[in-house]
Structures are given as structure tokens and as C-alpha cells.
Amino acid sequence: MIHFISDLHLHPSRPATTSAFLSFLASRARQADTLWILGDLFEYWAGDDDLPEPFNRQIADALRAASAAGLAIKLIVGNRDFLLASAFARNTGIELIGEPHCITLGTQTAVLLHGDVLCSDDVAYLQFRAMVRNPAWQAQFLAQPLPVRHKIAEDLRAKSEMSKQGKTAEIMDVHPDAVAQAFRDSGASLMIHGHTHRPASHTIDVDGQTRIRHVLPDWQDQACGLRWDGSTLSSFSGV
């Protein structure tokens, strides 16, 4: 069995979601062989040297316990936690995976990604994404004292929320052309992603072939996502 989740946005200000995730890792998640986290596990991540912070340590310890119990946890970073790196992976037992990434589900190929790159109409965001994914920018950011990084991250978080108010729903959603190209590039017939917080399954035609795009839900105080049982994909919610 495989579980797919995304967009938990874990943060001390969301204790119910944190509790749901800890319960999920200790129970339902361990019924599966593999857990895929497709981005935005954290509301933001200031750098792996922030691991000792009590909240982060609590999450890391729970991930490590689930990994030690035999659950393979694989994570694709999102637009909020893109600075998760090798120290976090070592301390939790998870595997960081680059995107897009293809896996086999039964007889079909599924392409996995966070989903933000599919929002090609949001030009301002894609420019920002290119900047913060640049190794030079990241090195400069990580060279700042941790309290400074926290302040920058909180400011960016607030600006992101404000910018959404001035954008149409269409701009913040995926673009059909970007979706079609991702299918072409991967050769996949299925796509699973998060980011948009618009859970649904979409059947589309790409070059005369039927493809299915599954959008994962964001967490609102309870566990939720998709489950592959060896033959079908279905949604789940609750512990």
C-alpha cells in the first residue's frame, strides 16, 4: 500500500493539524509500505540547522520513528519547505526526491510533483521560485543568523498571503498547457500533485490519449490524501 499526502503546512500555530499528523504517522501510515509527501510538509523551513527547535524536533522524531518501524517515507519539497536538505533526511530517515518523479502503479506510470510549476500563469510566483531555488540565493540566505531567517520567512509568508488576495483563482491554478506538457515529458498516464488546495480528479485528453490528474487536499486538522491499495487509487481522511 502507498499513501500520498501534501500541504500539511505544519506550524506551531496549527496544533490540531500537528496532532493529526503525529497520530497518522503512528497509526494509519504504518499500514502502508510507502508514504509520499508531495511538498509543504512545513509552513516554512528556515534551514536544517533549525532541527533542534522543539517543534521541528517533535516532527523529526515522529518521522524517524515511523521510518525505523519500516515505513519508507519519500518527500518532494514544496514552495514553502524547499530548504529541507540532507541533514533533515539523515535525522528522519526519509528520502528526498527531486521532481518530477515517476513511479509505477499497477500497469500505469504516475508522475509525482508538488504542483507549483504547473501554475504557469502566475508569472510573478515563478520568478520568485526561480530566485529562491538558485543555489547562490540559498547560500546567502542560509548564511544569515537563524533569527533573521525566521523573520524573513515570516515576512515572505505574510506577503504570500497578501498577494493571493490580488490574484484570480485561474492564475493560482494549474495551466492546462503546463499539465499537458508534464504528461508528454514524463510519458505518464497518471499525475498526482498538491499545491493548489483544490482536491479533485480530472480526466483530460493529451494528444488523443486519456490522462488522469489527481490533486491532493491540504490538511485542515485531519489526515487526508490518496491511497493506492495495489489496484486502485482512493481518497482517505481521518486517522
Side-chain angles (χ1 to χ4, degrees):
M1 185 183 294
I2 305 173
H3 286 140
F4 301 92
I5 63 174
S6 73
D7 297 281
L8 288 73
H9 294 271
L10 297 177
H11 188 268
S13 66
R14 305 182 69 205
T17 299
T18 300
S19 178
F21 182 57
L22 296 176
S23 296
F24 172 75
L25 281 180
S27 54
R28 180 191 286 272
R30 300 194 190 189
Q31 299 170 10
D33 303 302
T34 306
L35 170 64
W36 278 94
I37 304 172
L38 301 186
D40 287 359
L41 173 63
F42 292 96
E43 176 67 358
Y44 67 83
W45 189 253
D48 280 3
D49 56 335
D50 203 18
L51 260 169
E53 193 275 332
F55 178 81
N56 296 336
R57 184 76 267 165
Q58 180 185 32
I59 302 302
D61 288 348
L63 288 166
R64 187 173 65 247
S67 297
L71 178 65
I73 305 175
K74 303 176 186 293
L75 186 147
I76 290 175
V77 299
N79 56 296
R80 297 297 188 97
D81 55 8
F82 56 86
L83 287 172
L84 289 169
S86 57
F88 182 82
R90 286 194 306 271
N91 276 270
T92 57
I94 72 165
E95 183 179 4
L96 292 172
I97 304 290
E99 66 173 344
H101 182 81
C102 289
I103 63 172
T104 300
L105 296 178
T107 61
Q108 297 182 287
T109 298
V111 60
L112 311 179
L113 62 165
H114 177 55
D116 54 335
V117 295
L118 301 173
C119 301
S120 55
D121 272 346
D122 195 345
V123 177
Y125 167 70
L126 290 181
Q127 291 174 340
F128 171 79
R129 185 185 192 278
M131 178 186 74
V132 299
R133 297 297 182 103
N134 185 297
W137 184 95
Q138 293 187 4
Q140 184 179 37
F141 177 79
L142 292 171
Q144 301 296 315
L146 195 51
V148 173
R149 279 181 268 152
H150 274 287
K151 179 63 166 58
I152 293 172
E154 290 286 0
D155 288 346
L156 289 174
R157 178 187 178 207
K159 289 178 181 177
S160 174
E161 293 304 314
M162 288 183 61
S163 70
K164 290 178 183 178
Q165 299 176 16
K167 295 178 180 179
T168 65
E170 289 75 20
I171 286 178
M172 293 189 291
D173 203 356
V174 302
H175 193 286
D177 291 346
V179 171
Q181 193 59 50
F183 272 121
R184 293 188 189 102
D185 292 344
S186 64
S189 56
L190 302 174
M191 178 184 294
I192 304 174
H193 71 82
H195 179 65
T196 64
H197 299 194
R198 298 179 182 186
S201 293
H202 304 272
T203 300
I204 61 175
D205 180 279
V206 179
D207 304 330
Q209 295 185 339
T210 299
R211 317 286 178 127
I212 300 177
R213 177 172 67 93
H214 299 282
V215 187
L216 295 169
D218 59 308
W219 284 36
Q220 296 290 341
D221 301 343
Q222 69 170 348
C224 52
L226 289 176
R227 173 181 56 233
W228 170 257
D229 65 5
S231 59
T232 59
L233 271 172
S234 59
S235 62
F236 72 85
S237 62
V239 175

